[in-house]
Amino acid sequence: MKAIVLERKGEISIRDIAIEETLGPRDVRIAVRNVGICGSDVHYVQHGFIGPFVVREPMVLGHEASGVIVEVGAEVASLQVGDRVCMEPGIPDPTSKASRLGMYNLDPAVRFWATPPIHGVLRTSVVHPADYTYKLPESVSLPEAAMIEPLAVGMHAANKAHIVPGDVAVVIGAGTIGMMTTLTALAGGCSQVILSDLIQPKLDLAATFGPVTPVNVAEHDLADAVRDVTGGWGADIVFEASGSEQAAAGVFQLLCPGGRVVFIGLPGAPIAYDVVAAQIVEARVEHIFRYAHVYPRALALMGGGKIDVKPMITDLFPFERGIEAFDFALDMPPTSVKAQIELGD
Ligand SMILES: [Zn+2]
């Protein structure tokens, strides 16, 4: 089948690749339609590795995907040929201890698309377990459905934050994940989000999502802004979605007594952790790794109109222009958020 393949660090091609896939009784075969280009795809192209995951042989890129079912396994009752779906890119071992405890995202044996040596889905079709394939509500388009994967990260973070209606949240970083976290924080009951970034066009876009106070930290101090908005009390929740070491080390300065911090971004190095600053507000600190059990809720929020991801789908490329799409994603203009590649029917 045709695929977009990372041959080795810095070299992508569009070519035929043989991938052995047999349709098991609980699997579905999906014609892939929309695939978002993620920061991790770009990172593998640029560097050839993320942490311990090293690209040693050609790998198909892409893990943020939607598509249409073309074949169903004998035991699949929940899905039919022709259903429009999105897919969770991580397949755990359902019998593992982590899976049995409900933390299937933390199963050490999870097979995650476009994480070496597992192929991604920038290709004509894929066989996937029906249990990790979700039918779309009528009102959700295939491009929107391919946004569910980054949205799921924000959903998982919102769950970990235990939002109470009316909470004030800070989201540090207005990249794709920061924007998704802003949307889920508002949908989850936050009365407002104070969103910080250095890139003004991203803040301008996110300010259209609802009660969002954008703070450009090139010009303004975030802690001052939080004090202004909260009358000096501090934010109930701080979502760290920038991965900036400096920002991650400063989260407790923004927090109210009894507040919660959720670390989402991946700092490039260990950070200074101010234990005393955390102690004096009795901060509760959470971390997330991908997500679990959130796709159906994310789809329901999108289907019901509570979350609109359309403004973030800024750039669509046909499959034949996939290499151009990656060149674009490697050096994206500040007005762009998510580039997607579309496969034809
Ligand atoms: Zn992603």
Side-chain angles (χ1 to χ4, degrees), residues 257-313:
R260 292 87 77 196
V261 173
V262 185
F263 284 105
I264 306 168
L266 299 129
I271 62 163
Y273 187 102
D274 189 341
V275 172
V276 175
Q279 282 173 325
I280 58 175
V281 293
E282 289 193 347
R284 190 158 57 72
V285 181
E286 297 276 359
H287 302 84
I288 63 156
F289 183 66
R290 296 171 182 157
Y291 38 76
H293 309 291
V294 296
Y295 265 54
R297 286 167 180 270
L299 274 174
L301 284 167
M302 278 171 64
K306 269 215 133 187
I307 285 182
D308 180 10
V309 297
K310 288 192 287 294
M312 275 158 285
I313 309 168

Side-chain angles (χ1 to χ4, degrees), residues 109-324:
V110 71
R111 295 163 52 85
F112 199 93
W113 286 341
T115 301
I118 310 298
H119 284 306
V121 284
L122 272 165
R123 52 176 154 132
T124 318
S125 73
V126 64
V127 168
H128 204 57
D131 288 343
Y132 295 91
T133 304
Y134 302 90
K135 187 174 172 175
L136 307 185
E138 206 58 55
S139 59
V140 174
S141 68
L142 287 162
E144 290 172 82
M147 297 292 278
I148 285 277
E149 200 274 339
L151 180 62
V153 176
M155 290 285 295
H156 195 47
N159 283 341
K160 290 273 189 175
H162 294 284
I163 296 168
V164 177
D167 277 349
V168 173
V170 172
V171 176
I172 302 172
T176 305
I177 296 296
M179 287 193 193
M180 294 299 188
T181 303
T182 299
L183 288 170
T184 51
L186 292 173
C190 286
S191 59
Q192 64 170 307
V193 170
I194 304 163
L195 176 65
S196 71
D197 206 281
L198 290 159
I199 302 174
Q200 193 60 42
K202 295 200 182 291
L203 292 168
D204 292 343
L205 174 61
T208 67
F209 295 167
V212 175
T213 303
V215 179
N216 189 326
V217 287
E219 292 156 16
H220 300 285
D221 184 66
L222 178 57
D224 283 347
V226 172
R227 270 191 293 274
D228 278 355
V229 169
T230 62
W233 177 245
D236 299 288
I237 304 164
V238 176
F239 294 101
E240 202 310 293
S242 74
S244 152
E245 289 156 37
Q246 196 193 343
V251 288
F252 302 121
Q253 317 306 329
L254 310 171
L255 203 62
C256 77
R260 292 87 77 196
V261 173
V262 185
F263 284 105
I264 306 168
L266 299 129
I271 62 163
Y273 187 102
D274 189 341
V275 172
V276 175
Q279 282 173 325
I280 58 175
V281 293
E282 289 193 347
R284 190 158 57 72
V285 181
E286 297 276 359
H287 302 84
I288 63 156
F289 183 66
R290 296 171 182 157
Y291 38 76
H293 309 291
V294 296
Y295 265 54
R297 286 167 180 270
L299 274 174
L301 284 167
M302 278 171 64
K306 269 215 133 187
I307 285 182
D308 180 10
V309 297
K310 288 192 287 294
M312 275 158 285
I313 309 168
T314 50
D315 303 274
L316 288 169
F317 293 83
F319 183 74
E320 302 71 43
R321 286 169 55 205
I323 292 177
E324 190 188 323

Side-chain angles (χ1 to χ4, degrees), residues 46-75:
Q46 279 183 307
H47 303 284
F49 71 96
I50 293 179
F53 300 102
V54 182
V55 178
R56 297 186 199 281
E57 50 200 82
M59 177 182 81
V60 178
L61 291 162
H63 63 262
E64 302 178 357
S66 63
V68 177
I69 295 197
V70 292
E71 196 179 355
V72 296
E75 293 173 15

